[in-house]
Amino acid sequence: MVTLTFPTWMEPYRALATGKVSRDQWQALMRQLLWPVLGIGLFLLLWQFAAQRIDTSLGQFPGPAQVWEQAGNLVSEHQQSREREVAFYERQEKYIAARLQQQPDWEPVTRDYTGAPTFFDQIGTSLITVMSGFLLASMIAIPLGIVIGLSSTVHAAVNPLVQLFKPVSPLAWLPLVTMVVSALYVSDDPMVSKSFLTSMFTVSLCCLWPTLMNTAVGVTSVSQDLTNVSRVLRLNALSHVRKIVLPSALPMMFTGLRLSLGIAWMVLIAAEMLAQNPGLGKFVWDEFQNGSSQSLGRIMVAVIVIGLIGFLLDRLMLMLQRALVWDKASAQR
Amino acid sequence: MMKGFKKTFCGVLAAMTLGLSATSVADDAVGWPEKADLKFGFIKLTDMAPLAIAYEKGYFEEEGLFVTLEAQANWKVLLDRVIDGQLDGAHMLAGQPLGATIGYGTEAHIITAFSMDLNGNGITVSNSVWEEMKKHIPSKDGKPVHPIKADTLKPVVEQYKDAGKSFKMGMVFPVSTHNYELRYWLAAGGLNPGYYAPHKGDTSGQLQADVLLSVTPPPQMPATLEAGTIHGYCVGEPWNQQAVFKGIGVPVITDYEIWKNNPEKVFGVSKAWAEEYPNTHIRVVKAMIRAAKWLDENNNANRPEAVKILSRPNYVGADYDVIANSMTGTFEYEKGDKREIPDFNVFFRHNATYPYYSDAIWYLTQMRRWGQISESKPDSWYMDIAKKVYRPDIYTQAAKSLIAEGKMSADEFPDFASEDGFKPPQSEFIDNVTYDGRKPNEYLSKFPIGLKDGDTL
């Protein structure tokens, strides 16, 4: 079922490249390129205009130019950090060689680089955490959603709980999750850090619900005709779910998954900020604490990157949906 | 555990005696570190410098230690993470190991073998309070005469009282040096900073108070002052200088003027950790002694470089100029009124790194003075707690090993043979009261404001 065609939205560009542009394509180009560019341009102007008028105790609010400059700084800091990392490993090799000479029976261990994580390291950490939390939530929510959708008894039993926990803010869960993780996850040589688990579980707890609800609704709304077909064919329960329920429920499920991923990303930043767990949220908080004249610009870079990543994650889900769902009309935006 | 520790201790001593005759002293003196991957916590303050320098100058690595330094949100989080083992050790307030060990706040046995610095704090008031205070401060050559006593704040506080408003100030933690320094300064000017009564469940520290003190994390002080939630604060650098730069407040006094060369931060680890990794602990102290020496070397010659390192976002992260203002031997009070205080930040001079029992006892006396210790205790109790928490024995091993390796010389340290951990009686306090660490109860009886022997709230 997976088909990859030349995306239709690129058609006008191909036409532009070949020089043969129809009227419709001109309109498409305007819609896709001109208006968005104008919108962004206007926003930048407004931003610059407003920024000049906001004086904080950390200096002027950063305009687009300062933010761009800070983005450059963050990149160069990342490169410097990588250079230090290389030097670190070289020094370590020397240390190991020297120690082996004095203590031949020692089993050398290479240590990971101990420098502070850069902005880009933090992005990586956040992405891994959000994806793990989201996958865990999906693994629970999809099967549970199917069961709830199939059985009105289970639905009646679970629904009050779902309604109760759905609106809970991540920040309320966080202290509980932190304490439970530190109590239960005790190991001398932990595979992953406690802070990672805390963030991950908090994310999971909060982004479980949209997937669960939408899957359940999707499953309930399988058309009666299809269910009848399944009856006639005498499909067993598993085949019924695989052949009939899942394909019809997929569009709804994806709507839920997309909502969940969006929530997961938002929750993660807040959780990282509050719990001081590594990631973009901590980056923002640290910069705020630093209170240097560059801090606001750097936070603004993070804000834009957070938005950009959230957007890309959503597009990613949409692509996945397009590739998997038979009803293409349901995956338009 | 203790037995194992003593054994290592003897082993180290034996190794060192042998080392005098042998050639390769370096690695005989202290055994290989039991744990090489370490994570230390710190709060974004300039006095975390010994940790940053020990890392950046490779002193930790030379000891075979691979250290990660991590900024913590506030002092409570930092202490909790040392207690539950997420951090191997941390930059701590001198009162934290003591408070934790006697069970004020979170209870846990924390020890320290390294004192990180002397002085380094200041008290800042908001611009409007300063305008009022200034009327009562004598001036010379157009500049206010320092040190400024809290007597000049008293009329301002009275004004607030008459207007039915409470006068609030921020400090960083209930057992912080800042809390005790601010209280000392206020009380010396006749203002009661309030008592704690933990036996009644009152840990606000505001009983009978003229000035209400509350906790704010250091980096948030300027913002809280700006918001008007507090009218002044006591905090470490760069957060007093930050107020000057931002034009939101005026530092009125440094802790150097409240108590000359007062002990400030310490490096704290849990006792269990120290017993499990004795060699690691000694090596950590070694690296930090070298870092402290580097910071003070050649009359603060390395300070500009240190400031550059500290201004990186992963350490203190404030602007270079803000940090440099106090780290390079000056302190700016009112904007433009920059004065020389070469000893504002001391990391190594005056035996700053040695963990003196008398320093520990001073903090205990202040805990008693303000009711955090609700019942009076005999002098021997103060002595016992100081010995439980402050560990010059570990410091001495580290120092001797550095001397044996030729990295330091014996004259840079106290004379270990005769040092008993007590500084001679000190009287360079703002109220000229003499402090003798051997007589804590007698010392407490000298203050007009504060609990004395036999008092309970």
Side-chain angles (χ1 to χ4, degrees):
Chain A
M1 278 293 281
V2 180
T3 49
L4 282 172
T5 50
F6 197 63
T8 44
W9 63 267
M10 279 184 76
E11 204 52 44
Y13 299 93
R14 213 180 56 171
L16 195 67
T18 52
K20 282 174 275 182
V21 190
S22 72
R23 206 179 139 177
D24 280 356
Q25 283 172 335
W26 269 121
Q27 273 179 356
L29 271 178
M30 298 253 282
R31 205 172 50 238
Q32 283 173 15
L33 210 62
L34 189 66
W35 301 135
V37 166
L38 269 178
I40 293 172
L42 199 68
F43 169 73
L44 289 179
L45 276 177
L46 268 175
W47 174 9
Q48 176 69 37
F49 180 79
Q52 280 171 352
R53 271 150 195 79
I54 305 175
D55 266 315
T56 72
S57 57
L58 291 181
Q60 216 177 57
F61 193 84
Q66 288 96 308
V67 171
W68 179 249
E69 186 193 322
Q70 288 310 321
N73 283 350
L74 286 169
V75 172
S76 69
E77 273 166 31
H78 180 71
Q79 285 160 347
Q80 280 165 17
S81 168
R82 284 296 157 272
E83 282 163 24
R84 279 204 284 268
E85 185 174 350
V86 171
F88 172 84
Y89 283 115
E90 278 170 11
R91 283 200 306 276
Q92 198 176 175
E93 270 170 37
K94 278 188 203 143
Y95 170 78
I96 289 174
R99 183 162 170 182
L100 276 176
Q101 243 175 15
Q102 293 174 37
Q103 194 192 14
D105 57 337
W106 179 57
E107 263 181 56
V109 195
T110 308
R111 316 279 167 186
D112 288 338
Y113 178 53
T114 55
T118 65
F119 181 59
F120 297 92
D121 297 334
Q122 301 284 36
I123 294 178
T125 313
S126 282
L127 278 176
I128 293 173
T129 318
V130 80
M131 287 324 272
S132 321
F134 173 67
L135 282 179
L136 180 71
S138 307
M139 278 186 325
I140 298 168
I142 293 176
L144 195 61
I146 293 176
V147 173
I148 293 174
L150 287 177
S151 150
S152 55
T153 320
V154 179
H155 181 263
V158 177
N159 194 42
L161 292 175
V162 173
Q163 298 303 336
L164 178 69
F165 288 121
K166 200 175 55 152
V168 176
S169 151
L171 309 181
W173 281 118
L174 194 64
L176 298 174
V177 174
T178 311
M179 294 323 285
V180 170
V181 167
S182 18
L184 298 184
Y185 185 65
V186 197
S187 121
D188 282 338
D189 187 25
M191 241 183 32
V192 290
S193 65
K194 277 182 186 171
S195 58
F196 169 78
L197 288 181
T198 317
S199 304
M200 189 184 90
F201 287 133
T202 311
V203 166
S204 297
L205 276 172
C206 294
C207 74
L208 205 65
W209 314 111
T211 308
L212 185 73
M213 303 293 285
N214 281 284
T215 307
V217 172
V219 170
T220 329
S221 55
V222 173
S223 93
Q224 197 57 43
D225 294 349
L226 290 172
T227 319
N228 288 342
V229 170
S230 162
R231 289 231 177 91
V232 170
L233 293 175
R234 291 171 188 269
L235 292 180
N236 61 28
L238 203 66
S239 310
H240 171 70
V241 168
R242 256 183 45 216
K243 306 264 176 192
I244 307 288
V245 173
L246 271 183
S248 349
L250 260 186
M252 278 302 276
M253 262 166 66
F254 265 100
T255 311
L257 284 171
R258 276 171 69 192
L259 280 172
S260 281
L261 190 56
I263 291 181
W265 184 239
M266 278 204 252
V267 163
L268 178 71
I269 304 294
E272 284 169 350
M273 239 167 142
L274 193 73
Q276 296 287 296
N277 291 340
L280 277 171
K282 182 166 166 61
F283 174 85
V284 170
W285 189 249
D286 280 352
E287 284 300 335
F288 172 58
Q289 301 264 290
N290 285 346
S292 86
S293 51
Q294 305 179 332
S295 291
L296 292 180
R298 294 160 73 98
I299 292 174
M300 202 62 209
V301 176
V303 166
I304 292 170
V305 168
I306 290 170
L308 209 60
I309 291 176
F311 169 71
L312 289 177
L313 286 176
D314 191 57
R315 289 285 119 166
L316 199 74
M317 287 306 292
L318 197 64
M319 272 165 66
L320 203 66
Q321 182 176 1
R322 282 199 185 130
L324 290 176
V325 173
W326 56 274
D327 179 12
K328 299 298 175 202
S330 72
Q332 280 314 308
R333 52 181 80 219
Chain B
M1 267 306 195
M2 201 58 210
K3 219 172 179 182
F5 182 73
K6 271 187 185 145
K7 227 172 168 176
T8 336
F9 181 38
C10 297
V12 170
L13 277 187
M16 280 191 304
T17 359
L18 280 176
L20 291 177
S21 51
T23 40
S24 79
V25 185
D27 296 304
D28 297 334
V30 182
W32 295 108
E34 299 88 351
K35 184 177 184 190
D37 298 291
L38 303 171
K39 191 189 250 182
F40 295 150
F42 68 89
I43 297 288
K44 288 178 177 282
L45 291 164
T46 53
D47 53 20
M48 62 73 65
L51 281 169
I53 298 304
Y55 180 87
E56 294 291 334
K57 292 284 148 194
Y59 297 147
F60 281 135
E61 283 178 31
E62 281 179 41
E63 297 295 335
L65 306 172
F66 298 91
V67 173
T68 310
L69 298 175
E70 200 183 84
Q72 306 297 310
N74 58 53
W75 292 110
K76 179 165 170 28
V77 168
L78 174 138
L79 180 64
D80 287 348
R81 295 188 72 192
V82 170
I83 293 170
D84 74 11
Q86 290 188 60
L87 295 173
D88 293 289
H91 163 226
M92 283 186 189
L93 297 157
Q96 275 186 308
L98 293 162
T101 303
I102 63 172
Y104 188 77
T106 322
E107 183 161 6
H109 195 164
I110 304 286
I111 65 166
T112 176
F114 181 82
S115 159
M116 286 179 74
D117 64 320
L118 306 180
N119 313 320
N121 298 328
I123 296 174
T124 294
V125 297
S126 69
N127 289 332
S128 59
V129 173
W130 172 245
E131 284 311 316
E132 290 299 314
M133 270 177 86
K134 223 175 161 181
K135 295 174 188 161
H136 310 282
I137 300 168
S139 66
K140 199 182 158 193
D141 305 330
K143 281 181 176 177
V145 177
H146 283 267
I148 295 170
K149 294 196 173 183
D151 307 54
T152 57
L153 181 66
K154 204 171 178 182
V156 185
V157 175
E158 313 266 279
Q159 273 178 30
Y160 271 77
K161 262 191 186 163
D162 294 342
K165 288 187 286 185
S166 46
F167 192 85
K168 296 178 198 153
M169 290 184 91
M171 45 83 183
V172 309
F173 202 62
V175 297
S176 69
T177 36
H178 318 83
N179 187 15
Y180 304 127
E181 282 161 8
L182 184 55
R183 282 164 179 273
Y184 199 101
W185 181 68
L186 291 170
L191 287 165
N192 190 331
Y195 294 107
Y196 293 84
H199 56 292
K200 291 181 190 161
D202 188 326
T203 52
S204 65
Q206 299 181 340
L207 292 172
Q208 305 170 25
D210 296 322
V211 176
L212 302 182
L213 305 188
S214 59
V215 169
T216 307
Q220 282 158 38
M221 285 291 187
T224 317
L225 183 74
E226 199 179 2
T229 316
I230 50 176
H231 306 107
Y233 56 71
C234 180
V235 73
E237 279 312 306
W239 310 117
N240 293 294
Q241 294 302 306
Q242 187 82 281
V244 182
F245 271 73
K246 288 177 168 183
I248 56 173
V250 177
V252 288
I253 191 166
T254 65
D255 60 344
Y256 180 77
E257 297 157 301
I258 298 174
W259 175 19
K260 188 178 162 188
N261 291 334
N262 64 87
E264 180 49 43
K265 301 295 184 310
V266 297
F267 180 76
V269 300
S270 78
K271 182 163 185 268
W273 185 92
E275 281 174 354
E276 200 174 346
Y277 312 113
N279 292 341
T280 312
H281 193 193
I282 296 172
R283 283 172 178 270
V284 170
V285 174
K286 279 173 74 181
M288 289 183 69
I289 292 176
R290 289 179 70 193
K293 183 190 169 185
W294 183 90
L295 278 160
D296 275 10
E297 227 161 26
N298 305 326
N299 240 337
N300 297 352
N302 293 328
R303 292 290 178 91
E305 190 185 339
V307 174
K308 212 165 185 176
I309 292 172
L310 290 180
S311 65
R312 286 195 208 148
N314 53 324
Y315 294 126
V316 181
D319 287 344
Y320 179 93
D321 294 335
V322 176
I323 301 178
N325 237 11
S326 67
M327 274 284 275
T328 49
T330 56
F331 191 84
E332 191 167 356
Y333 293 95
E334 244 177 314
K335 203 154 213 154
D337 185 2
K338 205 169 179 176
R339 306 193 184 192
E340 297 284 327
I341 308 184
D343 276 353
F344 181 75
N345 271 125
V346 173
F347 294 99
F348 191 71
R349 293 186 289 273
H350 318 306
N351 295 329
T353 52
Y354 189 84
Y356 283 99
Y357 294 135
S358 50
D359 292 346
I361 291 172
W362 190 81
Y363 284 106
L364 291 170
T365 61
Q366 299 306 302
M367 288 177 190
R368 170 66 193 134
R369 183 179 178 190
W370 303 118
Q372 289 177 334
I373 298 170
S374 48
E375 286 167 6
S376 52
K377 305 273 184 186
D379 284 0
S380 60
W381 179 86
Y382 289 89
M383 193 62 223
D384 292 344
I385 297 296
K387 286 198 166 153
K388 245 172 110 174
V389 177
Y390 274 49
R391 296 293 297 273
D393 54 324
I394 296 168
Y395 178 93
T396 307
Q397 291 176 61
K400 283 186 175 165
S401 157
L402 284 171
I403 298 168
E405 289 168 17
K407 286 175 179 148
M408 307 268 276
S409 65
D411 59 6
E412 291 173 298
F413 294 104
D415 180 10
F416 294 121
S418 63
E419 182 59 62
D420 61 357
F422 281 88
K423 287 182 184 167
Q426 301 158 70
S427 57
E428 286 165 304
F429 288 87
I430 192 159
D431 54 1
N432 300 317
V433 172
T434 305
Y435 166 62
D436 181 352
R438 293 171 197 279
K439 298 168 190 159
N441 280 310
E442 188 199 300
Y443 177 60
L444 282 171
S445 68
K446 294 177 188 169
F447 296 111
I449 301 177
L451 298 182
K452 293 164 195 65
D453 197 16
D455 289 357
T456 26
L457 279 172

